[in-house]
Amino acid sequence: MTQVAVFMGSKSDEGVIRPCVEVLEKLGISHVFTVTSAHRTPERTSRLVRELEKDGVQVFICAAGLAAHLAGAVAAQTIRPVLGIPVTASSLSGLDALLATVQMPPGFPVGTLALDKVGARNAAWLAAQILALNDPDLARRIDAERAAMRAQVETDAASL
């Protein structure tokens, strides 16, 4: 069973979104990672949402730049949580993608994360926390990773 679907609007976004997949892998979360576009391939996007829901996907993560309608297009087709990662892809420094991702009509929310790689990592962490509501083993893995992060801060502080 696939737990999380990670969609990006363009192959050129892979380097920015790859940290999301790395966190999912580190936490042992099954996922699919693919390209689909709200504008260029709307039928593919719809088909993927339907097929992946049948496969058990619980959370959709969508990354896009410019008009950034991918997360909204997915949110229009599912009641599963949709997390959006705005990608910097224009002279507007990602503001266009951020606003397109965060400004959703009532009833079709997209949980919007930070821009680019930080948003990609946090989208995976948030998806993990959502899944951990019904998965005590995953909750323990998240706790262990957070403990390691805290220990690293202590180590870094001691080295100064």
Side-chain angles (χ1 to χ4, degrees):
M1 174 179 81
T2 304
Q3 297 171 290
V4 175
V6 181
F7 295 164
M8 58 186 173
S10 173
K11 175 86 165 116
S12 64
D13 297 334
E14 183 178 3
V16 174
I17 305 311
R18 178 63 60 185
C20 176
V21 173
E22 291 168 356
V23 170
L24 294 172
E25 289 171 352
K26 184 175 195 172
L27 293 171
I29 296 171
S30 61
H31 61 279
V32 62
F33 183 35
T34 193
V35 176
T36 191
S37 171
H39 301 106
R40 294 181 300 270
T41 61
E43 295 84 9
R44 172 179 165 72
T45 302
S46 294
R47 179 178 47 80
L48 284 169
V49 170
R50 285 190 312 274
E51 289 174 356
L52 290 166
E53 279 187 338
K54 287 179 186 171
D55 190 38
V57 162
Q58 296 298 301
V59 180
F60 290 90
I61 297 173
C62 302
L66 301 171
H69 292 296
L70 183 56
V74 171
Q77 299 175 57
T78 186
I79 62 167
R80 311 267 166 93
V82 177
L83 307 178
I85 307 165
V87 176
T88 302
S90 74
S91 61
L92 298 176
S93 301
L95 182 60
D96 51 345
L98 176 62
L99 293 175
T101 305
V102 78
Q103 291 292 99
M104 294 299 299
F108 299 88
V110 170
T112 305
L113 286 297
L115 290 165
D116 301 328
K117 289 181 179 183
V118 170
R121 286 185 192 95
N122 275 337
W125 284 107
L126 185 53
Q129 288 178 243
I130 291 167
L131 294 170
L133 291 170
N134 295 306
D135 185 340
D137 290 333
L138 177 57
R140 282 189 283 280
R141 292 193 304 272
I142 293 168
D143 282 339
E145 288 297 325
R146 284 185 168 192
M149 290 177 199
R150 287 189 295 273
Q152 186 61 54
V153 171
E154 295 294 337
T155 300
D156 292 346
S159 72
L160 296 177

